[in-house]
Amino acid sequence: MFGLDKVQKTIRLIMKKIQFTILSAITVFSLSSCYYDNFKELRPDSALPSTSTAICDTNSIISYTAQILPILNASCTQNCHNNIGSGHDLTTHASVQSDAVGGTLVPSVDGTGGNPMPQGANPLSACDVAKIKKWVNAGALNN
């Protein structure tokens, strides 16, 4: 009987170790699976390299030709949104205005949409997003 008691204690000890290991693994997996990627947390504007030392001016009228088109050319149309890239052309005012009025342009560039742009690159600066929003709110004019 003495030998059987010792075997039972050993088995109980092993079972406790196995239970502890399984419980620890479940806890670790549970905690790590609750993570939610937030676009603005992953790529905050403050982490962007500054390309300009100029102050962001959104008080004046925002011009498609002078301000919006250069932003789109630098961040959107070089590799993707041109007439040979993704199939979603942003090289003409009409196509950009269609997205602006249709409500897909701003959520894409400010990170609130389901498919933040530009993909695989740094987001637009807060200044560029503010300019696009102001231009859209003013009617997305071809000026």
Side-chain angles (χ1 to χ4, degrees):
M1 263 213 187
F2 181 72
L4 185 60
D5 234 10
K6 192 171 185 178
V7 170
Q8 287 176 339
K9 285 182 181 181
T10 305
I11 290 173
R12 274 189 248 138
L13 182 63
I14 291 171
M15 292 301 290
K16 284 183 181 183
K17 287 182 180 182
I18 291 172
Q19 287 174 344
F20 177 76
T21 303
I22 290 172
L23 183 61
S24 297
I26 289 171
T27 302
V28 168
F29 289 123
S30 295
L31 293 175
S32 65
S33 67
C34 292
Y35 186 76
Y36 176 74
D37 287 340
N38 180 305
F39 177 77
K40 292 189 185 238
E41 289 176 6
L42 290 174
R43 302 185 329 187
D45 287 339
S46 61
L48 293 176
S50 176
T51 56
S52 172
T53 57
I55 295 172
C56 182
D57 179 20
T58 56
N59 293 325
S60 60
I61 294 173
I62 302 296
S63 162
Y64 173 77
T65 305
Q67 284 122 343
I68 304 304
L69 188 58
I71 294 168
L72 297 176
N73 286 341
S75 301
C76 308
T77 63
Q78 283 185 343
N79 297 315
C80 293
H81 297 289
N82 51 45
N83 57 7
I84 57 173
S86 73
H88 191 77
D89 186 10
L90 293 178
T91 59
T92 67
H93 173 265
S95 61
V96 177
Q97 184 182 41
S98 174
D99 283 351
V101 173
T104 58
L105 181 64
V106 171
S108 292
V109 298
D110 74 1
T112 60
N115 195 15
M117 296 289 160
Q119 283 187 344
N122 286 329
L124 299 180
S125 69
C127 182
D128 287 347
V129 171
K131 288 177 184 179
I132 291 171
K133 285 181 177 180
K134 183 169 181 182
W135 176 74
V136 169
N137 291 334
L141 303 174
N142 189 4
N143 54 356

